[in-house]
């Protein structure tokens, strides 16, 4: 299956460079480019790509606002996956991007192979965060979470195994890694993840990670 991609960046050289890198992958097709956030929303709605590679700082409408508008509030289940790509290693962009419904966050200085891998990962419904961002995100959520916070009632609907799977997803483990740890089939893990997302009303694994840390689930032994 070919992954269709729209690239949004206000610098033409960057857009062309990203398009060249991604187009070299046999399973990725760049179907559109946008020079600002407003164009990104309009083009994505018109072309319905699988993934939008979204810069943060753009004129007219920045990448965070464009992501929120494109995916809706709460994020629309059938919208494109958004991979936020930026040079700015700042926490507020991470939180804002995740809050807007982005499925991944990667820095522009990442190796080419990482970008191609990131597009494939988010297109497949997985979550992807740059490793340094993940560590800081986890530490910050753990630090800011209030002791004694009441969990949403939906957590009570999770079975013990589903809660365990959610905890492992929050640690950044893939379905294959979770399957190996729990000694079950990968399809079984995929089923558990799907049920967790459905019961908690979450769009994807990225939101599951955020949910787990916000509610202290990931911190449990």
């Amino acid at each position: 299956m070919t992954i269709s991609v729209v690239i949004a960046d206000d610098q033409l050289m960057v857009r062309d460079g990203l398009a060249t890198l991604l187009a070299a992958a046999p399973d990725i097709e760049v179907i559109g480019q946008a020079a600002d956030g407003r164009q990104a929303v309009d083009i994505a709605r018109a072309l319905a790509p699988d993934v939008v590679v979204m810069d943060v700082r753009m004129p007219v409408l920045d990448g965070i606002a464009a992501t929120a508008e494109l995916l809706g509030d709460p994020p629309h289940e059938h919208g494109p996956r958004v991979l936020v790509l930026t040079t700015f290693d700042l926490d507020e962009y991470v939180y804002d991007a995740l809050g807007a419904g982005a499925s991944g966050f990667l820095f522009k200085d990442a190796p080419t192979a990482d970008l191609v891998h990131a597009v494939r990962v988010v297109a497949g419904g997985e979550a992807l965060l740059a490793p340094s961002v993940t560590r800081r995100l986890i530490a910050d959520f753990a630090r800011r979470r209030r002791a004694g916070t009441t969990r949403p009632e939906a957590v009570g609907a999770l079975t013990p195994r589903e809660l365990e799977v959610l905890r492992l997803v929050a640690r950044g483990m893939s379905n294959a890694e979770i399957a190996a740890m729990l000694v079950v089939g990968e399809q079984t893990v995929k089923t558990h993840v799907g049920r967790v997302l459905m019961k908690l009303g979450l769009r994807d694994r990225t939101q599951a990670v955020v949910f787990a840390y916000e509610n202290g689930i990931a911190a449990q032994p």
Side-chain angles (χ1 to χ4, degrees):
M1 181 180 295
T2 299
I3 302 169
S4 57
V5 176
V6 165
I7 298 172
D9 195 292
D10 61 334
Q11 299 182 41
L12 177 58
M13 290 183 64
V14 173
R15 292 200 307 274
D16 286 346
L18 293 174
T20 299
L21 293 175
L22 292 175
D27 58 338
I28 297 176
E29 179 184 8
V30 178
I31 61 174
Q33 297 186 28
D36 59 59
R38 173 52 56 201
Q39 287 185 9
V41 173
D42 293 342
I43 291 174
R45 285 176 173 169
L47 301 181
D50 298 310
V51 177
V52 177
V53 177
M54 186 83 75
D55 187 26
V56 172
R57 292 191 175 182
M58 292 186 291
V60 185
L61 194 68
D62 65 48
I64 304 302
T67 297
E69 182 173 334
L70 183 60
L71 299 182
D73 186 15
H76 195 279
E77 181 180 359
H78 302 297
R81 304 290 176 177
V82 173
L83 174 64
V84 174
L85 193 64
T86 182
T87 57
F88 301 98
D89 185 1
L90 299 176
D91 289 347
E92 58 264 31
Y93 290 140
V94 179
Y95 302 130
D96 290 347
L98 295 177
S103 295
F105 195 101
L106 197 66
F107 299 125
K108 287 183 178 178
D109 61 359
T112 300
D114 286 3
L115 173 61
V116 173
H117 174 68
V119 168
R120 289 170 176 158
V121 167
V122 299
E126 301 284 343
L128 185 139
L129 299 171
S132 62
V133 174
T134 304
R135 288 193 295 269
R136 191 166 59 247
L137 183 74
I138 291 171
D140 189 71
F141 275 142
R143 186 168 57 248
R144 294 196 305 176
R145 190 177 68 85
R146 295 193 304 270
T149 298
T150 302
R151 295 182 187 175
E153 292 183 4
V155 174
L158 299 180
T159 66
R161 178 47 62 94
E162 289 167 352
L163 198 58
E164 185 177 18
V165 168
L166 174 58
R167 191 173 304 119
L168 297 176
V169 166
R171 294 178 185 173
M173 298 179 68
S174 67
N175 286 352
E177 292 170 333
I178 294 173
M181 174 172 283
L182 300 181
V183 195
V184 297
E186 190 171 344
Q187 183 58 46
T188 299
V189 174
K190 186 175 182 180
T191 299
H192 285 317
V193 172
R195 288 174 178 168
V196 167
L197 297 180
M198 179 187 65
K199 289 181 178 181
L200 299 181
L202 304 174
R203 183 174 186 264
D204 56 25
R205 292 170 80 103
T206 303
Q207 290 191 343
V209 171
V210 173
F211 180 93
Y213 280 100
E214 284 182 327
N215 293 284
I217 294 171
Q220 292 182 349

